[in-house]
Amino acid sequence: MGLFVFISGQGHRNRCSTAGALAFTLALAPLLIGLSGCDLSGVATSSVEHGVALQGQVRGGQQPVNGASIHLYAAGSAGVGAGAIDLLAPNIVNTDASGDFNITGDYVCPTATTQVYLVARGGNPGLVSGENNSALAMMAALGNCGGLTNSTNIVVNEATTVASAWALSQFMSAGAIVGSTSTNTTGLNNAFAVANNLVDTSTGLAPGSALPNGAVTESTKLYTLADVLAPCVNSNGGAACTPLFAAATTSQGVPTNTLDAALNIVRNPAANVSAVFNAGAPQGPFQPVLSTKPNDWTISITYGGCTPACGGLNLPGSLAIDSGGNVVVANYFGGVISKFSPAGVPASATGFPGLGLSQSYGITIDGSDNAWVTNEQSVTAANNHHSGSISEFSSAGVELSGYGFTGGGVYYPLAAAADSTGVIWVADYGSSAATLLADDGSAISGSGGYGASTLPFTTAVAIDASHNAWFAVQAGAVRVTPAGAVSSYSCCTEPAGIAIDLAGNVWVADYSASAVVELSRTGSVAHRVTVLGGNAGPQGVAIDGAGNVWVSNYRGNALVELAGSTATILSPSQGYGLGAPLNEPFGLAVDASGNLWLSNAGGNTLTQIVGLASPIKTPLLGPPVQP
């Protein structure tokens, strides 16, 4: 966003042209040129948006908070959790005795698409006159500054605070500072949209009014967390806050306000679960709530649960995420691919059909946001079924490949991976070989593919930083260079998914052994970890921006996290996601907002675990990198 200077004036101000501020502006001219949203004449440019009048209420539970200070922040773009600007400063807006506030519109949005959020600090939540709760800090994530209107009403309460902290956890630092890097504004924008799926900021109730048809949120868990914050919010900030702050204490320290406590909980969702649960009031202001403590404090949204299946989901397999955060899914049945927005809205109610789609398992997205889909069976113009093909679709869902590409040794393909060089690698289960295609679908790997019969029953593929492809094969892994040289490594029983971290380590989901195996870049076994007590059926593997490893477990209906540096299991013994309707989770991917997406093969749905992982740049083209 750059530097933006606000100068006090009278009435509805244009801070760029206020005459009384001219001398001060000229003194700062070297810093302002090209950054401030004003041209050299002092006239406002199109890079800023004048604010509108807003109104709302601050509630502690269901009662008003008097004298809370209101701050309207623009999220920063100078770094993660940095650079947020209070658009109302230096003016002071406080709530009245009814907890109501009014913002006159005397502020300027840096741009129409700048993400904004409201924070309420302090105030008297129904105590004796003169009391102030300095530990009270609550938040409501609003969205595009240009989307605010004079009719916008905003409720700030414990529920909006939980939704904001969970959705924006990867972009927030202590003190309610939200920001992203300049290269990940898309991830930040999408995170705000998810927050508004969790809660309606016009009412302060869950779920949000923007939640797509058929989607299901864990609103009961969200309300439970809201009730955990409520005793501290509705107090003088003293002893009533002790249970919350103790339960939310992490290695980073003890929180001193309710918003920072919420942020600590979402970042450590498996820590002090009982203590967090017990910090809530037995009959809190938000209902219904969980009757017993949960397995963890993750929050999920599951999309596609409408009838008929939303977006064409029909035994969904692998999924991939494009540069805009859209989720594209291969379906084994139905002859369509599905596409969902970052907020779970289907791009097509019935999916995007393709002439070549048949028994589709795998999918990858290239650098142009085109999707490449593997078809175990292929279809010809004569409606004959053959031994597989690769279909290519544009970002608009238009099939670019006709009946599909079949060169390069394609034979019952199950998986594909796009490289940053533009080539597409394909795992050929039927011929136990690797196919390499150019970005126009033409064959690079020859008529029989690379390594024919030396990649036994290959099921998955990932790309390393040297543009080599690593394949999960029966009993191990195989590395294939772009020139076709093959190296084989033993490691496993029945590998399913595979992923490569930025250090070059290879992570394999060993399905039948219910284990995750780490290979060094040279192919030697570094770690072998049994997950979910040996009844997991690990399938999908994904690496996040911090290098941690995430595994979807087809039989265990749970998500497992491992530390990438030590292979230590970080998730609870039963995994994450027990509160989500996971149903034979197959595909797995991380987006640029830090959400984890899983395809539920047994439920024809997609589950989004909100804000749990470190964001990565999408689409995935080789090892994951931070956006």
Side-chain angles (χ1 to χ4, degrees):
M1 181 176 62
L3 178 65
F4 198 86
V5 177
F6 301 98
I7 301 167
S8 179
Q10 300 294 322
H12 187 95
R13 296 165 292 171
N14 180 334
R15 290 177 172 83
C16 297
S17 58
T18 301
L22 181 59
F24 180 63
T25 303
L26 290 175
L28 292 175
L31 296 176
L32 292 172
I33 294 174
L35 296 174
S36 69
C38 305
D39 62 23
L40 293 180
S41 67
V43 178
T45 70
S46 60
S47 65
V48 298
E49 289 280 328
H50 290 285
V52 297
L54 302 171
Q55 57 281 321
Q57 304 83 41
V58 177
R59 295 284 184 267
Q62 310 302 336
Q63 62 187 21
V65 178
N66 179 25
S69 62
I70 303 300
H71 308 266
L72 179 65
Y73 284 100
S77 59
V80 174
I85 298 173
D86 188 350
L87 300 181
L88 303 183
N91 292 344
I92 298 175
V93 175
N94 290 316
T95 56
D96 62 20
S98 298
D100 297 340
F101 63 86
N102 288 283
I103 297 171
T104 64
D106 193 19
Y107 61 92
V108 175
C109 302
T111 71
T113 56
T114 297
Q115 301 300 296
V116 293
Y117 58 100
L118 210 65
V119 175
R121 292 190 174 96
N124 186 331
L127 309 173
V128 298
S129 178
E131 291 271 14
N132 178 66
N133 183 359
S134 61
L136 188 156
M138 297 191 292
M139 176 177 173
L142 304 181
N144 288 342
C145 196
L148 302 175
T149 70
N150 289 323
S151 62
T152 299
N153 183 75
I154 305 163
V155 174
V156 184
N157 64 14
E158 294 91 340
T160 64
T161 302
V162 171
S164 301
W166 262 246
L168 299 173
S169 63
Q170 299 297 330
F171 300 94
M172 191 184 304
S173 61
I177 304 302
V178 175
S180 71
T181 61
S182 60
T183 55
N184 195 25
T185 55
T186 296
L188 177 66
N189 295 351
N190 293 343
F192 270 82
V194 171
N196 283 279
N197 275 352
L198 292 174
V199 74
D200 188 340
T201 57
S202 69
T203 64
L205 300 176
S209 58
L211 189 70
N213 179 37
V216 177
T217 71
E218 293 188 70
S219 293
T220 301
K221 186 184 284 187
L222 188 150
Y223 277 167
T224 302
L225 287 160
D227 282 350
V228 166
L229 302 182
C232 181
V233 167
N234 295 286
S235 75
N236 63 2
C241 295
T242 299
L244 170 65
F245 292 165
T249 295
T250 69
S251 58
Q252 285 74 45
V254 182
T256 58
N257 64 70
T258 51
L259 179 56
D260 287 348
L263 190 59
N264 280 5
I265 294 169
V266 65
R267 288 179 172 168
N268 301 273
N272 303 327
V273 174
S274 294
V276 171
F277 181 77
N278 292 331
Q283 297 295 326
F286 296 93
Q287 297 293 327
V289 295
L290 299 173
S291 58
T292 59
K293 70 172 184 177
N295 177 71
D296 57 72
W297 293 112
T298 59
I299 291 180
S300 68
I301 308 176
T302 295
Y303 303 101
C306 49
T307 303
C310 294
L313 292 173
N314 196 341
L315 212 166
S318 297
L319 53 82
I321 300 174
D322 70 13
S323 62
N326 302 293
V327 182
V328 189
V329 189
N331 294 289
Y332 190 73
F333 295 122
V336 300
I337 61 169
S338 301
K339 184 176 182 178
F340 290 78
S341 77
V345 178
S348 167
T350 56
F352 296 98
L355 293 172
L357 295 178
S358 179
Q359 299 179 12
S360 304
Y361 269 108
I363 192 168
T364 188
I365 294 177
D366 66 19
S368 299
D369 280 339
N370 294 333
W372 297 72
V373 184
T374 65
N375 306 300
E376 187 182 20
Q377 297 283 337
S378 55
V379 182
T380 68
N383 203 31
N384 295 321
H385 288 262
H386 292 277
S387 52
S389 66
I390 310 297
S391 297
E392 181 186 8
F393 288 79
S394 73
S395 59
V398 177
E399 190 174 35
L400 305 175
S401 52
Y403 285 97
F405 303 119
T406 58
V410 169
Y411 196 74
Y412 293 108
L414 295 190
D419 186 31
S420 59
T421 60
V423 300
I424 307 297
W425 286 93
V426 180
D428 295 305
Y429 182 87
S431 59
S432 296
T435 290
L436 182 60
L437 300 177
D439 59 3
D440 62 358
S442 60
I444 298 174
S445 51
S447 60
Y450 288 150
S453 300
T454 62
L455 285 74
F457 305 112
T458 178
T459 57
V461 56
I463 313 299
D464 68 19
S466 299
H467 309 291
N468 303 309
W470 287 75
F471 293 84
V473 303
Q474 188 179 55
V478 172
R479 182 181 63 205
V480 182
T481 71
V486 175
S487 302
S488 299
Y489 308 96
S490 297
C491 70
C492 315
T493 304
E494 187 184 354
I498 191 168
I500 300 175
D501 64 26
L502 196 57
N505 302 306
V506 181
W507 297 83
V508 181
D510 194 345
Y511 183 89
S512 62
S514 286
V516 178
V517 179
E518 179 192 4
L519 304 178
S520 71
R521 63 174 64 199
T522 61
S524 61
V525 174
H527 295 97
R528 183 189 306 275
V529 182
T530 300
V531 294
L532 301 183
N535 188 31
Q539 177 64 49
V541 186
I543 315 293
D544 71 13
N548 289 334
V549 182
W550 300 89
V551 185
S552 61
N553 294 278
Y554 188 84
R555 293 200 309 265
N557 287 327
L559 181 70
V560 169
E561 178 189 13
L562 295 88
S565 56
T566 62
T568 304
I569 296 178
L570 302 177
S571 46
S573 60
Q574 298 182 73
Y576 288 125
L578 271 62
L582 296 181
N583 191 339
E584 298 178 347
F586 187 91
L588 175 65
V590 183
D591 69 16
S593 302
N595 304 307
L596 287 148
W597 291 85
L598 301 96
S599 60
N600 295 300
N604 290 334
T605 57
L606 300 179
T607 292
Q608 177 188 46
I609 309 292
V610 176
L612 187 58
S614 177
I616 69 167
K617 182 179 180 180
T618 58
L620 180 65
L621 303 171
V625 296
Q626 294 181 343

